[in-house]
Amino acid sequence: MKFLRQVFESLVFAYQALRSNIMRTTLSLLGVSVGIFAIVAVFTAVDSLNGKIRSEIDSFAGSGVLYVGKWPWLMQNNYPWWKYLNRPEMKYSEFKYLKENLTSAQAVAIIDGGRTASVNRGSSSMDINITGASYDYNQVTSCPISEGRYFLPIESDNGLNVAIIGSKVAENLSNGESMIGQVIKLNGIKFSVIGIIEKKGNDMLGFGGTPDEKVIIPYITFATIFQKDRPQPDISIKAFEDDVNQQNLEGDITGMIRSLRSIKPKQEDSFSINRMDGLNQFFDGIFSVLNVAGALIAGFSLLVGGFGIANIMFVSVKERTNIIGIQKSLGAKNYFIMFQFLFEAVFLSLIGGIVGIGLVVLITFIPQEALPLSLSFKNILSGLMISSFIGILSGIIPAWVAAKMDPVIAIRSK
């Protein structure tokens, strides 16, 4: 109890010392405020960018989806592009076989996109990104419909001329009226609009272009009209959420396609199975580097703030040398003297950290369409812990010097 009481008294002394020198206290914490602001702002920006990119990856590729295609997504240093170039494209017959025989998959779809086409209605026209997709497309990836409906199985299987259009396409062609049921022309060929994709905004990664400027049509229709020159389809397969099932599914896919293509046991696969794990690991490495680089750059300003606090603490020890001598002559323990100055340094640094975090909070309230910033509890806690550590580091030596003073010499000082 005596120890706790003395610790509390040390806190009171530290608080009173800060109150008695408001101007000096304010100037001392500015350096820490700038440093903590910089570090927390960097962490917040990187986390927000990370969340934005992962959200777009999930929106484009779907969660737990395997993509079977000609090319691997991740290119290593010794990337044998000439070998992949000679691989055959995925075939519609292979998609049908997988769809009918893969019992371990939730959904199987064939997709081909990334083609530019011209869409027009009357005098209004624009260039769009066109995608051909089979019926299960909306089960393997996100395709929210804001108005109208999705494809019917009969429309997809029979290759009817129906289209689902992006919100920007609808705005440019509508002339103020609903686009559902209207006829548009894609490269001069008539299509009936059955649905409008929910507005999303710009796609940061550019995965197939923004959905707002996209038109989706049945895959068979796409293959007949737009795929004659260079077919580049992927077969997308939605796995069950269990990781073991996903691994088993990948093995089933590999065995089936190798059998369909009559690939001998010692021959390499003539296709690639791409998973989001590899892409996520790629971005994990990038964001780790960004976090470290940002923390190092911001750490320099925090270091300057720490030196500022240490300098002020040495001045404070010098000013209160006589008081230290009186306290020690009355029986104050070394830890009691040490805690006074250590708490004062930590208070200074913590207040500076809170001010810096507050500035980041204010920034997050500013509307950001491209990259909305979100300050997480983890980053707030990190900022407070870093500022506390800087306070301890800056105040430990001045506090140690004060605690080790000879009471007789301290009392005689002026």
Side-chain angles (χ1 to χ4, degrees):
M1 291 298 295
K2 181 181 177 181
F3 173 78
L4 293 176
R5 188 173 64 252
Q6 289 181 336
V7 169
F8 177 73
E9 290 176 359
S10 298
L11 285 169
V12 173
F13 271 110
Y15 173 72
Q16 291 174 344
L18 292 176
R19 281 195 61 187
S20 61
N21 297 282
I22 295 295
M23 181 60 70
R24 187 172 71 186
T25 299
T26 304
L27 294 174
S28 301
L29 59 84
L30 283 178
V32 175
S33 297
V34 172
I36 293 297
F37 166 77
I39 286 180
V40 175
V42 167
F43 289 162
T44 300
V46 171
D47 287 351
S48 299
L49 181 62
N50 190 1
K52 177 77 171 176
I53 288 178
R54 292 187 187 282
S55 174
E56 290 189 356
I57 289 174
D58 287 342
S59 176
F60 163 75
S63 177
V65 178
L66 305 179
Y67 282 80
V68 187
K70 177 178 179 177
W71 299 88
W73 285 356
L74 295 181
M75 302 184 182
Q76 305 298 329
N77 292 332
N78 298 321
Y79 188 73
W81 58 269
W82 57 90
K83 179 173 67 177
Y84 302 131
L85 183 65
N86 293 326
R87 285 178 171 181
E89 299 288 351
M90 304 307 297
K91 297 181 178 64
Y92 187 78
S93 58
E94 294 171 333
F95 151 70
K96 291 291 289 183
Y97 183 82
L98 291 175
K99 183 174 176 58
E100 292 168 0
N101 293 279
L102 268 179
T103 58
S104 54
Q106 290 190 48
V108 182
I110 186 168
I111 304 168
D112 195 350
R115 310 293 178 89
T116 300
S118 175
V119 59
N120 68 284
R121 176 174 176 257
S123 59
S124 302
S125 65
M126 65 179 294
D127 291 332
I128 51 92
N129 180 284
I130 189 167
T131 296
S134 60
Y135 177 70
D136 285 345
Y137 174 74
N138 67 336
Q139 296 184 46
V140 298
T141 190
S142 176
C143 184
I145 305 297
S146 62
E147 187 180 351
R149 61 175 176 81
Y150 188 70
F151 299 125
L152 297 175
I154 191 172
E155 294 170 336
S156 177
D157 294 341
N158 293 323
L160 302 184
N161 287 18
V162 291
I164 299 172
I165 63 176
S167 60
K168 191 172 181 180
V169 180
E171 290 173 6
N172 289 348
L173 303 181
S174 66
N175 295 323
E177 56 187 334
S178 174
M179 284 298 297
I180 303 302
Q182 301 294 335
V183 175
I184 61 174
K185 289 185 178 180
L186 295 173
N187 285 1
I189 301 173
K190 293 181 179 180
F191 283 79
S192 177
V193 177
I194 61 171
I196 299 174
I197 305 171
E198 187 177 291
K199 186 172 184 178
K200 179 182 179 182
N202 292 329
D203 190 337
M204 184 177 294
L205 295 178
F207 280 133
T210 172
D212 298 344
E213 299 178 3
K214 180 179 287 188
V215 173
I216 304 172
I217 63 175
Y219 178 81
I220 293 177
T221 310
F222 179 90
T224 303
I225 301 172
F226 299 98
Q227 206 186 50
K228 295 178 180 179
D229 51 346
R230 48 184 184 90
Q232 293 179 329
D234 281 336
I235 300 174
S236 55
I237 302 166
K238 176 76 172 179
F240 291 101
E241 297 301 325
D242 191 295
D243 289 338
V244 175
N245 286 333
Q246 292 182 26
Q247 293 174 1
N248 293 337
L249 176 60
E250 187 170 345
D252 292 343
I253 295 168
T254 301
M256 288 183 180
I257 298 180
R258 286 182 65 90
S259 176
L260 282 173
R261 294 186 173 183
S262 301
I263 300 175
K264 296 179 181 179
K266 292 185 178 180
Q267 290 181 322
E268 292 184 0
D269 292 339
S270 60
F271 56 91
S272 295
I273 300 178
N274 297 299
R275 300 181 61 172
M276 298 315 302
D277 295 349
L279 204 56
N280 285 332
Q281 289 173 6
F282 172 74
F283 282 112
D284 283 342
I286 292 178
F287 288 120
S288 296
V289 173
L290 287 177
N291 270 322
V292 172
L296 287 175
I297 294 171
F300 284 108
S301 60
L302 190 59
L303 188 63
V304 173
F307 280 129
I309 291 179
N311 184 50
I312 292 299
M313 293 311 302
F314 277 117
V315 172
S316 184
V317 170
K318 184 69 175 177
E319 289 178 346
R320 289 152 55 188
T321 299
N322 186 263
I323 298 174
I324 294 169
I326 295 173
Q327 289 176 335
K328 297 195 75 171
S329 66
L330 293 175
K333 300 293 186 181
N334 285 350
Y335 66 79
F336 177 77
I337 304 297
M338 187 174 183
F339 281 160
Q340 290 181 40
F341 293 95
L342 195 57
F343 287 151
E344 186 176 341
V346 172
F347 281 165
L348 272 173
S349 190
L350 265 177
I351 295 170
I354 291 171
V355 171
I357 292 171
L359 293 174
V360 178
V361 171
L362 291 177
I363 290 178
T364 60
F365 288 141
I366 300 174
Q368 301 284 341
E369 184 177 349
L371 180 63
L373 297 177
S374 177
L375 179 59
S376 65
F377 177 75
K378 180 192 75 173
N379 287 335
I380 293 175
L381 189 61
S382 297
L384 294 176
M385 290 178 65
I386 292 171
S387 59
S388 300
F389 176 74
I390 291 296
I392 294 172
L393 204 61
S394 303
I396 190 69
I397 296 177
W400 180 262
V401 170
K404 288 299 182 180
M405 282 185 179
D406 186 286
V408 177
I409 298 175
I411 290 174
R412 292 177 178 174
S413 65
K414 294 183 180 180

